[in-house]
Amino acid sequence: PAERALQNYGFDSAWQGIISENISQVLNVSLKASQPELVLSSVTLENRINEMEFYFPIHPVSPPKLQSNFKQHDTINGIGEFQRQIKKLVFRPTTGLMKGSIDMVFKDHNNYYLLDWKSNYLVSEIENYHPEALGDVLRENYYDLQYHLYALALTQYLRLGNPDFQYESNFGGVFYIFIRGVNSRHGPQFGIFHDLPQPALMNALGKALIPGYSKV
């Protein structure tokens, strides 16, 4: 499969060994230190969805409105730094539908997770892929905003489709996998960013953005 994909995208087959090794590392790395058994190779086909598209209606939204919601929770998970970054956003107030596509959604032991692949090159030193360094990359590129919107879409879908779904019991959070920094020997210490957005923040965003929002 790797060789065929390289051919399809015009790359030399000499990259096959490196690509295959990288895929193996990603599939077999532990995603969380507290759950060493949580590895992608253990996720079955029936427990995952690739490229999950979503749409949800939104109230009129603007950068100040987003900033206000994040500012209320500026002591949570580095949000204080991110809400200052939002000040740099420039777009006209927008309404209509929010559309997106989540790289992967998967289920493990009755917990649901969303995952996004990142190929960012953060120079060769492994230290640049430490979770704290990855947090800086997320804020600089507004990936923080992206994954909060992803989490909002996914958890609303799960709540509407399954009345027994409970955010604090059944949502395991967000993984951003920076594949260039992943090595199964290092485990989740490098190349893997994980966050579990606080319910209060998710509810604030939901009320601000979604008509008829269902509380997490």
Side-chain angles (χ1 to χ4, degrees):
E3 183 177 9
R4 190 180 310 115
L6 288 169
Q7 292 174 351
N8 290 341
Y9 288 96
F11 289 93
D12 194 291
S13 60
W15 289 99
Q16 182 179 351
I18 296 174
I19 296 296
S20 297
E21 173 63 20
N22 199 200
I23 292 173
S24 177
Q25 295 290 339
V26 170
L27 288 177
N28 293 290
V29 69
S30 175
L31 298 179
K32 290 181 67 178
S34 60
Q35 294 176 249
E37 74 285 356
L38 183 60
V39 295
L40 290 176
S41 59
S42 68
V43 179
T44 60
L45 285 173
E46 59 267 26
N47 283 326
R48 78 168 191 257
I49 299 175
N50 296 325
E51 300 294 338
M52 180 178 177
E53 292 190 351
F54 65 83
Y55 300 83
F56 60 79
I58 56 172
H59 291 302
V61 61
S62 64
K65 189 173 185 178
L66 288 173
Q67 183 188 350
S68 174
N69 280 275
F70 280 100
K71 188 175 182 178
Q72 294 175 43
H73 305 273
D74 62 3
T75 60
I76 299 173
N77 297 329
I79 290 299
E81 296 177 35
F82 179 62
Q83 64 91 6
R84 287 187 288 273
Q85 180 77 357
I86 290 182
K87 288 183 179 179
K88 302 176 184 178
L89 279 175
V90 178
F91 62 86
R92 294 179 178 178
T94 302
T95 188
L97 290 174
M98 178 72 69
K99 175 185 177 182
S101 178
I102 303 171
D103 286 349
M104 181 190 294
V105 172
F106 68 94
K107 179 182 178 182
D108 181 80
H109 291 89
N110 212 34
N111 284 319
Y112 295 86
Y113 302 86
L114 69 85
L115 183 152
D116 199 85
W117 304 110
K118 294 301 177 190
S119 60
N120 306 53
Y121 177 65
L122 308 179
V123 305
S124 57
E125 288 80 7
I126 190 66
E127 290 77 12
N128 289 281
Y129 293 91
H130 188 276
E132 290 183 5
L134 297 181
D136 293 336
V137 175
L138 265 72
R139 282 185 288 274
E140 291 169 3
N141 293 280
Y142 296 96
Y143 297 154
D144 283 43
L145 178 58
Q146 180 186 54
Y147 77 68
H148 280 89
L149 294 176
Y150 284 180
L152 189 59
L154 175 59
T155 54
Q156 282 299 284
Y157 169 77
L158 293 171
R159 277 187 58 79
L160 293 173
N162 179 8
D164 295 328
F165 173 81
Q166 297 292 325
Y167 183 89
E168 295 184 67
S169 302
N170 304 122
F171 186 58
V174 175
F175 287 108
Y176 269 51
I177 309 296
F178 290 75
I179 56 178
R180 294 175 185 267
V182 171
N183 188 303
S184 58
R185 295 193 305 274
H186 298 307
Q189 296 180 6
F190 298 99
I192 298 173
F193 177 89
H194 175 260
D195 188 24
L196 179 57
Q198 294 292 323
L201 175 55
M202 296 301 297
N203 284 324
L205 286 174
K207 291 175 183 177
L209 295 179
I210 304 177
Y213 171 71
S214 178
K215 185 176 180 181
V216 301

